[in-house]
Amino acid sequence: MRHAAALLGPQRLVLAQEFLRFGAVGTVGFAVDTAVLYAALWFAGAGPYGGRLLSYLAAATTTWALNRRWTFRDRRSTLSAARQWASFLVVNLVGFGSNYGTYAALVALSPFCARYPVVGVAAGALAGMAGNFFLSRRFVFGARPGRDP
């Protein structure tokens, strides 16, 4: 860890650690997204687009909770939990646009992705990740005490 701190500097090291944790949380979100999508398709009779809206909401709620408790645990937000969750959903609409747009395009244009929507879910998650990280870090989870302006 000291080598990484020396190489990156303390602020970039914190950024890198947060990004890695955000990615790990995103992996959990991907699993929730996929599970809820397939459940909506199989048990609720939802189509691939409506089912994806449900699965995205479930995944976003899961990732908000995990990011709040783990990824950004050292940051202070002035928002209540309910307002923070709502803010997370709002700022992540940018990532959602990339995420859902990638998914929808792949499902519509690729017979393989239409048959295996999990591929579209994965591609969508990667497409939205960077934007979601920086927007969440800045606008949802607040500054680190005594460190960020």
Side-chain angles (χ1 to χ4, degrees):
M1 189 65 84
R2 272 189 249 164
H3 180 67
L7 185 63
L8 295 174
Q11 289 180 327
R12 286 191 182 131
L13 179 62
V14 168
L15 180 67
Q17 289 170 332
E18 287 179 346
F19 190 75
L20 289 172
R21 287 191 301 259
F22 192 84
V25 167
T27 301
V28 173
F30 170 75
V32 170
D33 201 342
T34 301
V36 172
L37 173 62
Y38 277 81
L41 292 171
W42 292 336
F43 301 119
Y49 303 107
R52 185 67 205 288
L53 288 173
L54 292 173
S55 70
Y56 181 83
L57 184 59
T61 300
T62 301
T63 57
W64 164 76
L66 293 172
N67 281 318
R68 177 180 166 89
R69 294 289 178 205
W70 186 47
T71 304
F72 300 112
R73 67 181 176 259
D74 295 333
R75 294 179 165 269
R76 283 200 194 131
S77 175
T78 58
L79 303 174
S80 69
R83 287 184 58 103
Q84 190 183 59
W85 174 78
S87 295
F88 185 79
L89 292 180
V90 169
V91 301
N92 281 274
L93 285 175
V94 171
F96 174 74
S98 298
N99 185 321
Y100 192 81
T102 299
Y103 167 81
L106 287 172
V107 168
L109 301 174
S110 167
F112 179 79
C113 290
R115 197 170 325 121
Y116 302 102
V118 66
V119 175
V121 173
L126 290 173
M129 183 178 166
N132 285 347
F133 172 74
F134 287 107
L135 291 170
S136 293
R137 187 175 193 268
R138 172 72 175 96
F139 295 108
V140 178
F141 295 104
R144 291 179 61 221
R147 307 276 175 105
D148 293 341

